[in-house]
Amino acid sequence: MSDQEQAETAADAEDADVEATDEEPETAGLGDGDFVRLAYTIRTADDGEVIDTTDEETAEEAAIDTDEYEFEPRIVTLGAGHVFPSVESALEGEEPGDAGTVDVPATDAFGEYDPEEVETVTADKIDDDDKYPGAQVQIDGRQGRLETIIGGRARVDFNHPLAGEDLEYEYEVLDVIDDREEQAAGMLSVYLQETPDVRIESVTETEETVTEDDDGEETTETEAVEKDVLYVTATQAMQMNQQWMFQKQQIAQDLMGRLDLDRVVVEEVIEGGGMGGLGGMMGGMGGAGDIEDALEDIDVDADEIAAELDEE
């Protein structure tokens, strides 16, 4: 190859490098495990009835009670079952600013309507206040809608109220959430329908490791370990939330797994009208200051107590 040909080849390579550098890097878009803030409105496909929305104005137009809920964009986690599978598929690869509408078939939403889920039960299983057509009733742990009640018998529909309904899911991707505290609050809001106060702190704990050598002699080594702990302030509504009461362990495990946490601590906060009733009790005991002094004088040795119990 001549010197001129070599120079032309080098120039072409240089131009190719410049073009590659000028190109914007490709982004993968949203994927499994991403936390995304969504604005959305869900309607029934046949008549356009709004069944859920993050927009307060849309809720007011649909005559949805706006006093009971907060209407604002929600944080959802892809891959966690927070949205319908067909919606999750549509969100894959999307970026902030993207929007669209997804047709969600009934099978992908709340299931097909099953006539066998309409059952006859004895009327005495229904509270007197709920003995009217259309009432939402709880029968043997199942949620249903009362259709008719005649004498001592009642017909109850245990299908989901939206069973058999195709839906339209209109969405806009607002942004991707990287802050772990926001992610935690977003996950909890999906479960609780409210957003509790949360914080993540790194705490140092001491862990002991016991090793045994060939002679059977044990050696204890102490190591300082950093732990990431999520603190959640429990509201009164949260403590009364049935999903939280029955699934708190599962919810905590989900939080720890997705946010790489070591522990979840729920803090109970009691607010209200002072300590009037307890004040008299404390006065009879010599006052709070005397109690603190007395506690400081108590020396309890847990090992000594355990030894005494073993002797008994």
Side-chain angles (χ1 to χ4, degrees):
M1 181 181 293
S2 67
D3 292 342
Q4 183 177 353
E5 290 175 332
Q6 291 180 0
E8 290 175 354
T9 302
D12 291 340
E14 184 176 350
D15 290 340
D17 290 340
V18 171
E19 289 179 4
T21 304
D22 290 340
E23 291 180 0
E24 294 184 1
E26 293 185 2
T27 56
L30 297 177
D32 185 63
D34 283 338
F35 289 76
V36 56
R37 195 189 311 275
L38 279 184
Y40 64 82
T41 296
I42 308 173
R43 297 180 174 87
T44 54
D46 59 348
D47 57 10
E49 179 186 357
V50 175
I51 62 170
D52 191 14
T53 183
T54 59
D55 182 69
E56 186 170 1
E57 184 176 339
T58 301
E60 290 176 348
E61 292 174 356
I64 296 175
D65 185 2
T66 57
D67 294 331
E68 193 171 340
Y69 301 100
E70 294 182 0
F71 293 91
E72 59 185 15
R74 308 276 176 82
I75 297 174
V76 301
T77 312
L78 299 187
H82 293 172
V83 294
F84 301 120
S86 52
V87 176
E88 188 157 304
S89 296
L91 290 173
E92 291 180 1
E94 296 277 68
E95 297 177 356
D98 289 342
T101 300
V102 182
D103 294 328
V104 183
T107 52
D108 202 12
F110 298 100
E112 296 288 0
Y113 187 85
D114 185 358
E116 295 186 3
E117 286 296 303
V118 182
E119 302 176 9
T120 300
V121 301
T122 58
D124 58 9
K125 289 189 174 184
I126 300 173
D127 293 338
D128 290 339
D129 293 340
D130 295 330
K131 290 183 177 179
Y132 61 89
Q136 296 295 319
V137 295
Q138 192 86 8
I139 308 292
D140 299 331
R142 301 166 67 194
Q143 186 75 26
R145 183 179 64 86
L146 181 60
E147 288 191 338
T148 59
I149 182 166
I150 301 175
R153 312 293 286 176
R155 291 282 287 174
V156 179
D157 186 351
F158 290 104
N159 283 284
H160 189 281
L162 292 170
E165 291 276 6
D166 296 331
L167 306 176
E168 291 181 350
Y169 192 108
E170 181 183 354
Y171 70 87
E172 180 181 1
V173 179
L174 300 181
D175 56 278
V176 177
I177 306 302
D178 295 320
D179 181 81
R180 282 202 300 169
E181 290 185 351
E182 276 195 84
Q183 293 174 346
M187 285 186 66
L188 285 167
S189 70
V190 171
Y191 291 115
L192 306 174
Q193 304 304 311
E194 65 167 326
T195 306
D197 291 332
V198 302
R199 70 183 190 280
I200 296 176
E201 295 182 1
S202 182
V203 299
T204 303
E205 298 181 356
T206 301
E207 292 187 354
E208 292 185 349
T209 303
V210 179
T211 58
E212 186 175 314
D213 59 19
D214 296 337
D215 297 328
E217 186 175 343
E218 292 184 348
T219 303
T220 302
E221 296 181 355
T222 303
E223 180 184 11
V225 179
E226 293 288 327
K227 302 277 189 178
D228 284 348
V229 181
L230 171 66
Y231 295 90
V232 182
T233 301
T235 63
Q236 184 175 4
M238 176 177 171
Q239 295 175 53
M240 298 296 292
N241 185 291
Q242 289 191 359
Q243 185 170 11
W244 172 253
M245 287 191 292
F246 294 114
Q247 297 182 356
K248 64 175 65 177
Q249 184 69 26
Q250 178 182 339
I251 294 172
Q253 292 292 340
D254 194 16
L255 285 163
M256 287 186 286
R258 292 188 178 277
L259 301 179
D260 194 22
L261 298 165
D262 297 291
R263 186 177 301 130
V264 175
V265 176
V266 181
E267 300 176 320
E268 182 179 5
V269 177
I270 300 176
E271 299 176 349
M275 301 288 288
L278 293 178
M281 295 171 60
M282 288 184 175
M285 296 170 63
D290 292 340
I291 293 175
E292 292 176 358
D293 293 340
L295 289 173
E296 289 178 358
D297 293 336
I298 297 176
D299 183 10
V300 179
D301 190 324
D303 293 334
E304 184 178 324
I305 293 175
E308 291 179 358
L309 291 174
D310 290 338
E311 290 178 1
E312 293 178 1

